[in-house]
Amino acid sequence: MREKKIVKDYTKQKMLVFGVLVGMVILIALFAPYLTSYDPYEQDLGNALLPPGKEHLLGTDRYGRDMLSRVMVGAQSTIFSALLLVVVITVMGSMIGIICGYHGGKLDVFLMRLSDIFLAFPGMVFAIAVASVMSGGIFNAVVALACISWPKYARITRSQVMAIKNMPYIEAAKLSGSGTLKIIRKHILPNIAGAIVVTAVLDIGTMIMEIAGLSFLGLGATPPTAEWGSMMSNGRSMLQTSPWVILAPGTAIFLTVMIFNLAGDTMRDILDPRQRKG
Amino acid sequence: MTEGEDMQKILEVKGLKKIFYKNKVPFVAVNQVSFDMVAGECLGLVGESGCGKSTIAKIITHLTPPDAGSVLLDGTETLYKKGKKERELYTKIQMVFQSPQDSFDPRCSLGDGIMESMRNRGFRKAQATERMYELLDMVELEREFALRYPHEVSGGQCQRAAIARALAPEPRLIICDEATSALDVTVQAQMVKLLQRLQKERRLSLLFICHDLALVQALCDRVLVMYKGSIIEQGIPDEVILHPQKEYTKMLVDSAF
Ligand SMILES: Nc1ncnc2c1ncn2[C@@H]1O[C@H](COP(=O)(O)OP(=O)(O)O)[C@@H](O)[C@H]1O
Ligand SMILES: [Mg+2]
């Protein structure tokens, strides 16, 4: 009894802490251009590869660009494209999942076989193939990852919809004269939103890594753009001589992914029906 | 009852059949079921669980399509109606479900649930709220319950709200599918009283699905006994209970009394 109470309070505090951290990361990314003391794109070959110090807190890269500024501006491309990606696949996947789960029939069979095909491929390999066909660029990386990531959302939403579509309250809504669209909007979506949102938040970290991964391979952000994956890629030949060039964006990815994952985990604890109990 | 207007048939069910496939093995859940209901009648439908009672209710309310048969309401075929016509049907037929708490959306208040049909028929918010309060009075539920959520009320209170919801479109026929089975005995008795009163006041027809013969005896004018998808016996409850014709009915009577 007492133990349970302590655990519960702890969860709320964790959510607060991680919520604030997520907020900070997003704010930094949002206002990065105003927060940096150097132009992240200005080359200064005289100051190339300076180690971290007073002038440049995280050192400079081989063109003499300030690493801290680049990491902060890079947050914009990496985090916002991951967020865009998550929003796109969540909306697309859950729409398909709702149609399949509620409607059933041949359309359901067709769309689910299609999603099986996507799920059967190793995701990253498929994304690499799609991204290289579309010839790089961060937007194309988002499209490639969206192509392979929606089936998971379609599956989750579909199973959630199927679990509740035969509940008496859905039948009661039908008897109240509500049409299909109203039933979905008013009675199905609110009851499955929690599970979808938790999945989406937990996926932000994964998507940050996948976007950075594609960029690392040269299939995402193209060179001058500050983006964590491509920054690491550029620095990989200097890992032994100037490790900060690769450690700065690497640490940024690590910390951001960790913050988003911990926030997602805590959110799941809160939204988990087993804990909700009312 | 006199012949003529009072004996007008409100519901005619003819040759209803429903086959479910369980792992591709056909299973006849409802087999050639036919019965009539006259306006203002309370008809009981009894039988052990799994004999197909709910399936019949769901076919009549268009929640499940039948494989054969027809359902006539006031002499007109109701099956195969779609869209607006189907919604019109729900102003004449309503249903009260077995588990009251599950029949309300956990994320909507009871008041919202009761008002849904009125909002769908174009009532303005204030109008619908007004009428919702009247309905709560009618089922003897305090008005403050309108703001409560299904998990915040007892089973009996929730079922009263469900009855209010069913009354909202002013239907002529209400199907109670084991509406009292999930409640404890005293609450069951209150619910039966309420249904009896409403039926008299509003000249409702009631299809009372139940597996308890004693309750049916207390409430119904006539009873149908169902066994494995078919109706095997029908008559006035007292007679069926005193002189059961079929072995199965005898068993049902013995287990109930
Ligand atoms: N959607 C369904 N799919 C397969 N079988 C079903 C379905 N609905 C009901 N059944 C089967 O049909 C039979 C009758 O069910 P039901 O009408 O719910 O019985 P009752 O209400 O009398 O307890 C049961 O054997 C049940 O397993
Ligand atoms: Mg049943």
Side-chain angles (χ1 to χ4, degrees), chain A residues 114-146:
Chain A
L114 193 68
S115 82
D116 280 343
I117 293 172
F118 282 106
L119 287 171
F121 273 106
M124 207 53 189
V125 174
F126 197 72
I128 289 169
V130 175
S132 42
V133 166
M134 294 197 303
S135 73
I138 199 152
F139 182 75
N140 286 348
V142 169
V143 173
L145 288 169

Side-chain angles (χ1 to χ4, degrees), chain B residues 20 22 27 29 48-55:
Chain B
F20 285 117
K22 291 180 180 166
F27 169 82
E48 65 193 358
S49 87
C51 72
K53 305 181 299 292
S54 297
T55 307

Side-chain angles (χ1 to χ4, degrees), chain A residues 2-188:
Chain A
R2 207 172 134 219
E3 221 171 347
K4 202 175 167 188
K5 209 170 180 180
I6 291 167
V7 170
K8 205 178 167 192
D9 287 344
Y10 197 44
T11 310
K12 271 187 186 153
Q13 281 156 357
K14 262 174 23 186
M15 191 69 244
L16 188 71
V17 171
F18 296 135
V20 167
L21 284 176
V22 164
M24 267 166 56
V25 169
I26 290 179
L27 282 180
I28 288 176
L30 203 59
F31 295 107
Y34 308 102
L35 297 173
T36 53
S37 33
Y38 293 91
D39 180 347
Y41 294 110
E42 197 187 86
Q43 302 192 359
D44 180 3
L45 292 175
N47 282 326
L49 292 176
L50 288 181
K54 253 198 197 135
E55 286 284 298
H56 300 278
L57 281 176
L58 296 178
T60 59
D61 70 1
R62 72 170 122 173
Y63 301 109
R65 297 177 293 199
D66 179 52
M67 284 309 291
L68 180 61
S69 309
R70 281 183 71 74
V71 166
M72 279 163 74
V73 172
Q76 230 169 22
S77 18
T78 310
I79 294 175
F80 289 149
S81 37
L83 288 179
L84 173 71
L85 174 58
V86 168
V87 169
V88 167
I89 56 178
T90 305
V91 171
M92 198 167 89
S94 39
M95 257 161 56
I96 292 173
I98 287 174
I99 293 170
C100 288
Y102 194 81
H103 192 269
K106 288 209 176 81
L107 187 66
D108 177 33
V109 174
F110 171 73
L111 287 170
M112 283 303 115
R113 288 304 146 268
L114 193 68
S115 82
D116 280 343
I117 293 172
F118 282 106
L119 287 171
F121 273 106
M124 207 53 189
V125 174
F126 197 72
I128 289 169
V130 175
S132 42
V133 166
M134 294 197 303
S135 73
I138 199 152
F139 182 75
N140 286 348
V142 169
V143 173
L145 288 169
C147 282
I148 59 151
S149 311
W150 66 268
K152 179 173 151 195
Y153 288 81
R155 292 250 157 212
I156 292 171
T157 313
R158 176 178 177 268
S159 68
Q160 295 271 327
V161 169
M162 298 210 343
I164 65 165
K165 81 165 175 183
N166 289 321
M167 287 293 284
Y169 66 83
I170 302 293
E171 297 178 334
K174 199 177 169 214
L175 259 76
S176 293
S178 298
T180 308
L181 279 181
K182 181 166 181 189
I183 289 178
I184 289 174
R185 186 167 44 80
K186 191 169 172 205
H187 300 293
I188 292 187

Side-chain angles (χ1 to χ4, degrees), chain B residues 188-204:
Chain B
Q188 231 173 35
Q190 291 169 6
M191 216 54 67
V192 168
K193 245 194 206 153
L194 173 67
L195 286 171
Q196 257 170 337
R197 201 198 79 218
L198 290 170
Q199 198 211 347
K200 275 209 199 87
E201 282 176 9
R202 335 212 88 221
R203 293 204 68 243
L204 274 173

